[in-house]
Each structure stands twice: as structure tokens, then as C-alpha cells.
Amino acid sequence: MIIFENDKFLKNVKKNGVSGTDQYAKFKINYVMEDMVFNSSYRKNKIIEKVKSIAKQYFYGLPDNFIDKELEILYESAKEKINDEDSKRKHENKIITLYDSEMKTIEALRDDELMRLAFATLILHKFCGQYLDGGVEKYRKYVDTCEADAYRVAGLDKVSGTKKDKLWKKLYDKNMIDYWLKNNYMWQYKPEWIAKRLFTVPYNVDLKSDKHNEDIFKRITNYDNVLLYLKYWLKDGNVTACMDCGCPIDKGTKAKKLCSNCASIRKKSSDKARYNRNVAIT
């Protein structure tokens, strides 16, 4: 599971908790733990107490000493990563750039489902491959495959497995994506590690060392529905631009003119101004 916007994801987990039937339960608990270790000033006991409260549905019925031991292991693991730049980057919101040439390459496919899957793989390749090296933004050529996230971004979750395979094959044949199987010699200790499948997107402009001659289409700052960026490029009449940041949004009602991020910023600003006025009056 890939987290596009850290703040929104954490807010949702803290609000709804983690249930025992959630397939991403362990991932969510570990993510919350790491975020608190990396980004809060709470001490160890307070962090464990907070994570325990968020995951109470998941741990329901288990003895406290067992729960505390499990969370302490997660805490110590997070502490070991506190100086690891790659680990910390997973807990920061990223901005990725889309270029005209990339969008034209996708548009040339013409087929709606094929365009959506190609766009999703491009987004994931840029997002997962982005890293900082001495403060300089760089991109890895190959990243871990994440088909479930690709289907989620592309809106193809309910498409049959056979059709999904055909779409991947078409993209591969058109040199839009490339797969690579990496053997892991640690498999003897953990059989599921026997191989890792990686992929790359050859037309991803961010893989170039010189991008000065490339025209930028949009920078992705809002990940609520990434597919809207593709629809906006294709001039979908149901998509317009946020009046503050310019990111694509569903037209919906005539009253909707802001994306969720800009609407939140305006609300905070309005709430702060209202609070200051009330303080001044009293």
C-alpha cells in the first residue's frame, strides 16, 4: 500500500482506528508508530499509549503485556530508522511533475483503459522512485511493482485478472513499461524473498539528466483522485482547475471551486481570523 498524502492518511487512521479485519492493519500500525517517532516530541511511553489506543480494535481481547511487548518492538524498530533518509521520506508529502511529452505519449494510446493504466504506472514510478541525495532530487530507474496501487489509481480494481494481464502485455509491447526480476539470495532464510519484481517506465522524463527543454503540464499536489490529471489533459468537460493551486477537480456543483487541500487551508485561515476577532472583543 502506497501513501500519497501522509497527513490525510494519518488523520483517517487516527479517526477510524485499525480494525482486526483490515488487510493493511499491521502496515497502518507500523506507519503511525514511525510517524510519531519521527515527527512528534512525545516520549516512548506516550507514543506506545497513543498507538495502542488507535489500534484497540485490532488488539481486542489480547492481554496488555502482549500488546505492550508488540508495540515496544515496533517502537525500537522505528527508532533505528530515525536517521535513515529513505524511511523518513516515506512520511513526507511529495510533489511530482508531469511533462507534456509524457502526457502526449499516453494520449497516443487512445484506448481509455490502456491510457489509465499507463498513467497510473507513470505516477507510481515517479512517486516510488523519487529520493533526495544531498538535498538534490533524483529518481531510481527501477522500483518495486505495486499492481494493486496501479489498479486503484487507474480505477481498474474491478476489471478481470485476464484483462489486466492483457493491458500490462500491451504496455510492455509498446515499450511503455519494462519488468525486471531480481533474485534475492536471502530466500533460503525466508522463501517468499526468492525474487523481487521491479519495473521502469522508459518515457518518464525524470529519468533524464537534462530536463530543461521539457514543458511542464502540471505538478501533482493533491492525490485525492490522481486520474483527474489525465482527464484534465484529455479536456474532459467534467473536470476544471482549482482556483487557488490549479490542480484538477471534479466540477460537481457550481459552488465547488477549490480542491480539498486549498479548501482546508482557507478554512484554517478563516477559523484563525475568527478566533483572533473573538479574542480582541473579549
Side-chain angles (χ1 to χ4, degrees):
M1 182 180 186
I2 293 173
I3 309 303
F4 288 113
E5 290 186 270
N6 178 56
D7 295 341
K8 290 179 181 177
F9 177 75
L10 289 170
K11 183 178 180 181
N12 179 267
V13 174
K14 290 173 182 177
K15 178 182 177 182
N16 299 313
V18 182
S19 72
T21 57
D22 189 338
Q23 63 175 317
Y24 297 114
K26 291 184 178 179
F27 173 86
K28 288 179 178 179
I29 295 169
N30 189 54
Y31 193 88
V32 172
M33 177 68 79
E34 285 186 353
D35 187 79
M36 287 192 177
V37 171
F38 295 163
N39 301 315
S40 78
S41 57
Y42 295 125
R43 293 184 181 276
K44 177 179 177 180
N45 290 343
K46 187 67 174 178
I47 290 176
I48 290 177
E49 178 188 325
K50 282 184 168 292
V51 176
K52 186 177 181 180
S53 176
I54 292 168
K56 62 182 178 182
Q57 297 174 56
Y58 178 77
F59 289 121
Y60 180 77
L62 294 174
D64 282 345
N65 62 334
F66 173 83
I67 299 171
D68 292 340
K69 184 178 179 181
E70 288 293 303
L71 292 178
E72 188 165 341
I73 291 172
L74 291 182
Y75 176 86
E76 295 301 334
S77 175
K79 281 292 266 188
E80 290 176 3
K81 301 175 185 176
I82 203 162
N83 293 318
D84 179 37
E85 288 301 318
D86 277 348
S87 295
K88 294 182 77 171
R89 282 281 283 170
K90 292 177 183 176
H91 293 266
E92 298 172 357
N93 292 338
K94 295 181 183 178
I95 295 176
I96 61 177
T97 304
L98 297 173
Y99 296 88
D100 283 0
S101 62
E102 296 167 339
M103 302 308 292
K104 288 174 183 175
T105 301
I106 294 171
E107 185 179 8
L109 293 170
R110 299 300 176 188
D111 180 84
D112 178 63
E113 290 179 329
L114 206 55
M115 284 193 291
R116 282 154 55 189
L117 185 58
F119 182 73
T121 57
L122 176 66
I123 296 299
L124 293 172
H125 189 226
K126 285 174 176 283
F127 191 88
C128 299
Q130 186 185 117
Y131 70 100
L132 292 179
D133 182 9
V136 178
E137 185 177 287
K138 293 185 178 180
Y139 289 82
R140 296 182 177 87
K141 184 176 181 181
Y142 286 93
V143 299
D144 292 353
T145 55
C146 37
E147 285 94 339
D149 286 293
Y151 303 143
R152 175 164 62 92
V153 170
L156 297 173
D157 309 66
K158 296 181 180 179
V159 171
S160 71
T162 301
K163 189 161 191 177
K164 287 172 182 172
D165 290 340
K166 287 181 179 178
L167 291 173
W168 284 113
K169 179 69 165 55
K170 286 180 181 178
L171 291 180
Y172 179 83
D173 290 342
K174 292 177 181 292
N175 197 36
M176 301 282 281
I177 57 169
D178 188 24
Y179 284 98
W180 180 52
L181 198 64
K182 178 182 179 182
N183 292 323
N184 188 335
Y185 296 104
M186 293 297 288
W187 68 269
Q188 55 187 310
Y189 302 105
K190 202 164 185 179
E192 59 266 34
W193 289 352
I194 192 168
K196 178 187 286 189
R197 193 160 63 149
L198 307 171
F199 82 99
T200 187
V201 177
Y203 66 97
N204 180 352
V205 171
D206 284 315
L207 295 179
K208 294 183 179 180
S209 57
D210 183 6
K211 298 176 279 189
H212 290 92
N213 294 323
E214 295 285 348
D215 293 325
I216 294 173
F217 162 52
K218 289 280 186 184
R219 285 191 171 89
I220 298 184
T221 56
N222 186 306
Y223 294 86
D224 287 349
N225 184 354
V226 183
L227 207 57
L228 290 176
Y229 286 85
L230 174 61
K231 291 182 178 180
Y232 189 81
W233 170 266
L234 296 173
K235 297 179 172 57
D236 187 317
N238 296 315
V239 181
T240 187
C242 169
M243 63 186 296
D244 278 9
C245 71
C247 87
I249 55 174
D250 272 317
K251 277 188 175 178
T253 62
K254 291 182 179 179
K256 185 176 180 182
K257 298 186 183 297
L258 300 172
C259 68
S260 59
N261 291 348
C262 291
S264 177
I265 291 170
R266 284 208 186 188
K267 184 178 184 305
K268 287 178 181 178
S269 178
S270 177
D271 290 345
K272 185 176 181 179
R274 188 182 303 110
Y275 171 79
N276 289 336
R277 285 196 302 271
N278 291 338
V279 169
I281 291 171
T282 56

